[in-house]
Amino acid sequence: MTFPVVGMVGGGQLARMTHEAGIPLGIKFKLLSDTPQDSAAQVVSEVVVGDYRDLDTLRAFARGCDVITFDHEHVPTAHLRALEADGVPVRPGPDALVHAQDKGVMRAKLDAIGVPCPRHRIVSDPEDAARFAAEVAGGGAQHLGEGWWPGDGDGSGGFPVVLKTVRGGYDGKGVWVVRSSKEAEEPFRAGVPVLAEEKVDFARELAANIVRSPHGQAVAYPVVESIQVDGVCDTVIAPAPGLDPELAGHAQELALRIGQELGVVGHLAVELFETADGRILVNELAMRPHNSGHWTQDGAITSQFANHVRAVLDLPLGDPRPRARWTVMANVLGGDYPDMYSAYLHCMARDPQLKIHMYGKDVKPGRKVGHVNTYGDDLAEVRERAAHAAGYLRGTITE
């Protein structure tokens, strides 16, 4: 029996780490990358450099692949349907993936299946965004979010609200918190539909990660707390500290139901708001390995990357249970100190249990270039170790 070939579209760090998870299984990878310097292109043996937005390129890449999967959601939906029509297994398929590609489609579907979301609707222009703000302040608009109050921001019409372009956003890009009709002008310049959402009064952000196979087997990881800084994930704590077990189970069940209803194959991250009054609302979906699951590389029996590989190949899924009481992941962002390798001596000597994962990227301020994982029984100590290592690698901590 020949071992299968997984075709991965996208050459970023998620592809790099997914490839790493397939190596012990003898799984072969073929990569479609934007450039030979991309993170995964540095380590995968068979790399095709090309544009994922070109259908002929995708078709040529798919030849010789047993399945196609992704490290981002940006491949045009129509192209994925064309690959399926050619007989190429695409996982997740376009009917599922469109809910992670298009926030308007996602919100409509989640409404239809009764999933709690922030109040929202598509808006046509800045004036329509102002009308939405007034609707929410008055208790109107859509769905189950709460915690809105009029008079915030500039004191008029219920601002602030959150505006999102329905396609193309990530890591805070394509998302604006606007406090007036004037500030609402910027999102419409992209020329794509804009989704308006209430600015939820949340206590913290959570994430529920699940993996689902083609025949319906699914596993759920512990619900984690995700701490954002300037719209970018900074720290993930697994499991989310102080989370009511009943609410944690509800979040896992919700993620599993979303995966089933949408027909997801592979990894699904459901980003959540925990509200001040103890409810959860769905913020975003991602159908690929996700930053909120990086802790699983060292903190779970089977990582999100290994289970994603298993799922897209329809292999039995691995155990998602944690190895330690607490695991903390901290992203390493680029700063003004490009020589991160010289910091290894200090970090490894200070914390022999520290796990460093670097992505092979050029260091640029604010860019995700790696992450660290720490684990143990004392949460405060584990958080401090992760924060120190990430800060030292970045150069913001020097002792």
Side-chain angles (χ1 to χ4, degrees):
M1 178 178 177
T2 58
F3 279 66
V5 176
V6 174
M8 194 91 178
V9 178
Q13 63 263 26
L14 300 179
R16 181 185 178 111
M17 291 182 279
T18 305
H19 166 257
E20 178 186 6
I23 291 173
L25 302 176
I27 305 301
K28 301 175 184 177
F29 271 74
K30 183 179 177 183
L31 185 73
L32 180 61
S33 182
D34 290 339
T35 76
Q37 290 77 41
D38 285 351
S39 179
Q42 299 173 27
V43 297
V44 176
S45 60
E46 187 173 1
V47 179
V48 175
V49 176
D51 187 349
Y52 63 84
R53 295 164 294 189
D54 180 73
L55 179 56
D56 289 338
T57 298
L58 283 170
R59 279 179 160 148
F61 171 73
R63 296 189 192 106
C65 294
D66 293 284
V67 64
I68 297 293
T69 191
F70 316 93
D71 93 333
H72 61 72
E73 291 106 343
H74 305 314
V75 180
T77 308
H79 291 2
L80 300 181
R81 295 193 195 283
L83 290 182
E84 280 199 329
D86 293 342
V88 178
V90 176
R91 294 172 178 166
D95 290 341
L97 191 62
V98 69
H99 298 94
Q101 294 174 320
D102 190 307
K103 294 178 176 64
V105 172
M106 173 194 71
R107 286 289 182 228
K109 180 65 174 180
L110 296 183
D111 284 349
I113 62 176
V115 170
C117 298
R119 288 172 285 188
H120 60 272
R121 68 175 171 85
I122 299 292
V123 291
S124 57
D125 53 39
E127 291 72 29
D128 197 19
R131 286 191 291 272
F132 170 82
E135 291 167 8
V136 174
Q142 295 181 15
H143 224 47
L144 303 174
E146 297 294 343
W148 194 260
W149 58 95
D152 197 5
D154 65 358
S156 63
F159 285 103
V161 296
V162 179
L163 298 183
K164 302 177 178 180
T165 54
V166 296
R167 284 182 176 255
Y170 66 96
D171 282 350
K173 299 177 178 65
V175 179
W176 295 263
V177 177
V178 299
R179 297 180 175 273
S180 67
S181 297
K182 180 67 175 176
E183 289 185 9
E185 294 175 359
E186 177 64 25
F188 294 93
R189 293 183 183 132
V192 298
V194 173
L195 176 70
E197 296 182 347
E198 67 169 314
K199 187 175 183 294
V200 175
D201 178 25
F202 62 87
R204 58 178 170 175
E205 294 187 60
L206 305 172
N209 291 281
I210 65 130
V211 183
R212 187 171 180 273
S213 69
H215 69 272
Q217 185 191 9
V219 296
Y221 289 94
V223 177
V224 300
E225 180 177 350
S226 178
I227 300 168
Q228 314 291 313
V229 176
D230 297 329
V232 178
C233 178
D234 180 82
T235 303
V236 171
I237 304 172
L243 182 62
D244 180 82
E246 185 174 344
L247 192 61
H250 174 54
Q252 290 176 312
E253 291 170 0
L254 188 65
L256 289 166
R257 182 160 71 87
I258 291 170
Q260 180 179 14
E261 293 276 4
L262 273 55
V264 176
V265 172
H267 184 270
L268 169 67
V270 180
E271 298 180 71
L272 303 162
F273 295 127
E274 182 184 5
T275 65
D277 59 355
R279 295 170 298 116
I280 55 172
L281 304 174
V282 173
N283 179 25
E284 302 275 2
L285 303 179
M287 295 182 195
R288 50 172 171 77
H290 190 258
N291 206 166
S292 64
H294 288 358
W295 69 273
T296 63
Q297 284 178 297
D298 305 296
I301 294 172
T302 311
S303 76
Q304 64 164 347
F305 302 103
N307 262 336
H308 184 76
V309 172
R310 292 186 185 202
V312 300
L313 293 172
D314 205 11
L315 293 169
L317 301 180
D319 192 334
R321 288 179 299 169
R323 293 178 180 271
R325 182 178 179 184
W326 300 105
T327 302
V328 174
M329 187 282 311
N331 276 322
V332 177
L333 302 181
D336 298 324
Y337 183 65
D339 183 17
M340 291 187 173
Y341 183 73
S342 64
Y344 283 7
L345 180 65
H346 168 86
C347 290
M348 292 177 178
R350 184 178 189 270
D351 187 354
Q353 289 187 318
L354 176 70
K355 303 297 184 182
I356 300 174
H357 301 270
M358 302 302 289
Y359 306 154
K361 291 182 172 182
D362 292 335
V363 176
K364 296 179 181 178
R367 184 187 200 186
K368 290 181 187 175
V369 294
H371 68 271
V372 297
N373 285 331
T374 57
Y375 47 87
D377 294 329
D378 185 313
L379 178 57
E381 178 195 41
V382 174
R383 290 191 68 173
E384 187 281 329
R385 287 161 50 205
H388 182 278
Y392 199 92
L393 288 166
R394 187 177 188 179
T396 54
I397 295 174
T398 56
E399 59 181 13

